[in-house]
Short mmCIF file of all heavy atoms in Angstrom, two decimals:
data_model
loop_
_atom_site.label_atom_id
_atom_site.label_comp_id
_atom_site.label_asym_id
_atom_site.label_seq_id
_atom_site.Cartn_x
_atom_site.Cartn_y
_atom_site.Cartn_z
N ARG A 158 81.65 59.74 80.20
CA ARG A 158 80.45 59.09 80.69
C ARG A 158 80.20 59.46 82.14
O ARG A 158 81.11 59.57 82.92
CB ARG A 158 80.64 57.58 80.58
CG ARG A 158 79.51 56.89 79.84
CD ARG A 158 79.85 55.42 79.71
NE ARG A 158 78.74 54.69 79.20
CZ ARG A 158 78.73 53.38 79.08
NH1 ARG A 158 79.78 52.68 79.44
NH2 ARG A 158 77.69 52.76 78.60
N GLY A 159 78.97 59.59 82.52
CA GLY A 159 78.66 59.93 83.89
C GLY A 159 77.16 59.89 84.07
O GLY A 159 76.46 59.13 83.41
N SER A 160 76.66 60.71 84.97
CA SER A 160 75.24 60.68 85.26
C SER A 160 74.39 60.98 84.04
O SER A 160 73.34 60.38 83.82
CB SER A 160 74.92 61.67 86.39
OG SER A 160 75.32 62.98 86.00
N GLY A 161 74.84 61.91 83.20
CA GLY A 161 74.06 62.28 82.03
C GLY A 161 73.89 61.14 81.04
O GLY A 161 72.84 60.99 80.41
N ALA A 162 74.93 60.32 80.92
CA ALA A 162 74.88 59.22 79.95
C ALA A 162 73.87 58.17 80.35
O ALA A 162 73.37 57.43 79.49
CB ALA A 162 76.27 58.60 79.83
N TYR A 163 73.55 58.09 81.63
CA TYR A 163 72.63 57.05 82.09
C TYR A 163 71.25 57.58 82.47
O TYR A 163 70.36 56.81 82.83
CB TYR A 163 73.22 56.34 83.33
CG TYR A 163 74.43 55.49 83.01
CD1 TYR A 163 75.69 55.87 83.45
CD2 TYR A 163 74.31 54.31 82.29
CE1 TYR A 163 76.81 55.09 83.17
CE2 TYR A 163 75.42 53.52 82.00
CZ TYR A 163 76.66 53.92 82.45
OH TYR A 163 77.75 53.15 82.16
N SER A 164 71.06 58.90 82.43
CA SER A 164 69.82 59.48 82.95
C SER A 164 68.58 58.93 82.25
O SER A 164 67.57 58.61 82.90
CB SER A 164 69.87 61.01 82.82
OG SER A 164 70.05 61.39 81.46
N GLU A 165 68.64 58.80 80.93
CA GLU A 165 67.48 58.31 80.19
C GLU A 165 67.18 56.85 80.54
O GLU A 165 66.02 56.46 80.71
CB GLU A 165 67.72 58.45 78.69
CG GLU A 165 66.49 58.09 77.85
CD GLU A 165 66.71 58.35 76.37
OE1 GLU A 165 67.60 59.15 76.02
OE2 GLU A 165 65.99 57.75 75.56
N ARG A 166 68.23 56.06 80.65
CA ARG A 166 68.04 54.65 80.99
C ARG A 166 67.52 54.49 82.42
O ARG A 166 66.66 53.66 82.69
CB ARG A 166 69.36 53.88 80.83
CG ARG A 166 69.86 53.81 79.39
CD ARG A 166 71.15 53.01 79.31
NE ARG A 166 71.71 53.03 77.97
CZ ARG A 166 72.84 52.43 77.63
NH1 ARG A 166 73.52 51.76 78.54
NH2 ARG A 166 73.29 52.49 76.40
N LEU A 167 68.06 55.30 83.33
CA LEU A 167 67.58 55.22 84.71
C LEU A 167 66.12 55.61 84.80
O LEU A 167 65.36 55.06 85.60
CB LEU A 167 68.42 56.14 85.61
CG LEU A 167 69.83 55.65 85.97
CD1 LEU A 167 70.60 56.75 86.69
CD2 LEU A 167 69.77 54.40 86.84
N ALA A 168 65.71 56.56 83.97
CA ALA A 168 64.32 57.01 83.97
C ALA A 168 63.38 55.89 83.55
O ALA A 168 62.19 55.90 83.89
CB ALA A 168 64.15 58.22 83.05
N ALA A 169 63.90 54.91 82.82
CA ALA A 169 63.08 53.79 82.35
C ALA A 169 62.84 52.74 83.44
O ALA A 169 61.97 51.88 83.29
CB ALA A 169 63.72 53.13 81.14
N LEU A 170 63.59 52.83 84.52
CA LEU A 170 63.42 51.87 85.61
C LEU A 170 62.16 52.17 86.41
O LEU A 170 61.80 53.33 86.62
CB LEU A 170 64.62 51.92 86.56
CG LEU A 170 66.00 51.54 86.02
CD1 LEU A 170 67.04 51.66 87.13
CD2 LEU A 170 66.00 50.13 85.44
N THR A 171 61.50 51.13 86.85
CA THR A 171 60.38 51.31 87.77
C THR A 171 60.93 51.66 89.14
O THR A 171 62.12 51.49 89.41
CB THR A 171 59.53 50.03 87.87
OG1 THR A 171 60.33 48.99 88.47
CG2 THR A 171 59.06 49.56 86.50
N GLY A 172 60.06 52.11 90.03
CA GLY A 172 60.49 52.43 91.38
C GLY A 172 61.10 51.23 92.08
O GLY A 172 62.12 51.35 92.77
N GLU A 174 62.48 48.57 90.63
CA GLU A 174 63.75 48.21 89.99
C GLU A 174 64.88 49.11 90.48
O GLU A 174 66.00 48.66 90.71
CB GLU A 174 63.61 48.31 88.47
CG GLU A 174 62.77 47.19 87.85
CD GLU A 174 62.35 47.47 86.43
OE1 GLU A 174 62.64 48.57 85.91
OE2 GLU A 174 61.69 46.58 85.83
N ARG A 175 64.56 50.38 90.64
CA ARG A 175 65.56 51.32 91.15
C ARG A 175 65.94 50.97 92.59
O ARG A 175 67.12 51.02 92.97
CB ARG A 175 65.00 52.74 91.07
CG ARG A 175 65.98 53.84 91.42
CD ARG A 175 65.30 55.20 91.27
NE ARG A 175 65.09 55.54 89.88
CZ ARG A 175 65.73 56.54 89.26
NH1 ARG A 175 66.61 57.26 89.92
NH2 ARG A 175 65.49 56.81 88.00
N LEU A 178 68.16 48.00 92.50
CA LEU A 178 69.48 48.38 92.01
C LEU A 178 70.33 48.99 93.12
O LEU A 178 71.53 48.67 93.25
CB LEU A 178 69.34 49.38 90.85
CG LEU A 178 70.63 49.99 90.29
CD1 LEU A 178 71.59 48.91 89.83
CD2 LEU A 178 70.30 50.94 89.15
N ARG A 207 65.61 42.72 84.68
CA ARG A 207 65.00 43.82 83.93
C ARG A 207 65.86 45.08 84.02
O ARG A 207 65.99 45.82 83.03
CB ARG A 207 63.60 44.09 84.48
CG ARG A 207 62.58 43.02 84.09
CD ARG A 207 61.23 43.26 84.72
NE ARG A 207 60.26 42.26 84.30
CZ ARG A 207 59.07 42.09 84.86
NH1 ARG A 207 58.70 42.88 85.88
NH2 ARG A 207 58.24 41.15 84.43
N ALA A 208 66.44 45.34 85.18
CA ALA A 208 67.32 46.50 85.33
C ALA A 208 68.55 46.34 84.46
O ALA A 208 69.00 47.30 83.82
CB ALA A 208 67.73 46.67 86.80
N MET A 209 69.10 45.13 84.39
CA MET A 209 70.25 44.87 83.54
C MET A 209 69.92 45.15 82.08
O MET A 209 70.70 45.79 81.35
CB MET A 209 70.73 43.43 83.71
CG MET A 209 71.45 43.16 85.01
SD MET A 209 71.80 41.40 85.27
CE MET A 209 72.68 40.97 83.78
N ALA A 210 68.76 44.68 81.65
CA ALA A 210 68.35 44.87 80.25
C ALA A 210 68.17 46.36 79.92
O ALA A 210 68.62 46.85 78.87
CB ALA A 210 67.07 44.10 79.97
N LYS A 211 67.52 47.10 80.82
CA LYS A 211 67.25 48.52 80.56
C LYS A 211 68.52 49.37 80.61
O LYS A 211 68.62 50.37 79.89
CB LYS A 211 66.24 49.04 81.59
CG LYS A 211 64.84 48.47 81.41
CD LYS A 211 63.89 48.98 82.48
CE LYS A 211 62.48 48.39 82.30
NZ LYS A 211 61.53 48.88 83.33
N LEU A 212 69.48 48.97 81.44
CA LEU A 212 70.70 49.75 81.59
C LEU A 212 71.83 49.27 80.69
O LEU A 212 72.89 49.87 80.64
CB LEU A 212 71.16 49.73 83.05
CG LEU A 212 70.23 50.41 84.05
CD1 LEU A 212 70.71 50.17 85.47
CD2 LEU A 212 70.14 51.90 83.77
N GLY A 213 71.59 48.16 79.98
CA GLY A 213 72.62 47.64 79.10
C GLY A 213 73.77 47.01 79.85
O GLY A 213 74.91 47.01 79.38
N ILE A 223 77.39 50.85 87.32
CA ILE A 223 76.47 51.86 86.76
C ILE A 223 75.78 52.64 87.87
O ILE A 223 75.59 53.85 87.77
CB ILE A 223 75.43 51.18 85.85
CG1 ILE A 223 76.11 50.70 84.56
CG2 ILE A 223 74.29 52.15 85.50
CD1 ILE A 223 75.21 49.85 83.68
N GLU A 226 78.51 55.15 88.94
CA GLU A 226 78.90 56.14 87.94
C GLU A 226 77.75 57.06 87.57
O GLU A 226 77.95 58.22 87.21
CB GLU A 226 79.46 55.45 86.70
CG GLU A 226 80.11 56.44 85.74
CD GLU A 226 80.92 55.76 84.65
OE1 GLU A 226 80.41 54.81 84.06
OE2 GLU A 226 82.05 56.20 84.41
N SER A 227 76.52 56.56 87.64
CA SER A 227 75.36 57.37 87.30
C SER A 227 75.02 58.38 88.38
O SER A 227 74.29 59.34 88.16
CB SER A 227 74.14 56.48 87.04
OG SER A 227 73.73 55.86 88.25
N GLY A 228 75.54 58.14 89.59
CA GLY A 228 75.22 59.01 90.71
C GLY A 228 74.00 58.56 91.49
O GLY A 228 73.60 59.20 92.46
N LEU A 229 73.39 57.43 91.07
CA LEU A 229 72.24 56.92 91.81
C LEU A 229 72.64 56.56 93.23
O LEU A 229 71.88 56.77 94.18
CB LEU A 229 71.67 55.68 91.09
CG LEU A 229 70.46 55.02 91.75
CD1 LEU A 229 69.27 55.98 91.76
CD2 LEU A 229 70.09 53.72 91.03
#
Side-chain angles (χ1 to χ4, degrees):
R158 232 176 171 185
S160 58
Y163 291 110
S164 59
E165 186 175 339
R166 295 181 186 179
L167 285 172
L170 297 180
T171 65
E174 287 165 357
R175 186 179 288 248
L178 174 57
R207 287 176 178 168
M209 286 172 55
K211 291 178 181 180
L212 294 173
I223 289 172
E226 190 168 47
S227 68
L229 180 64

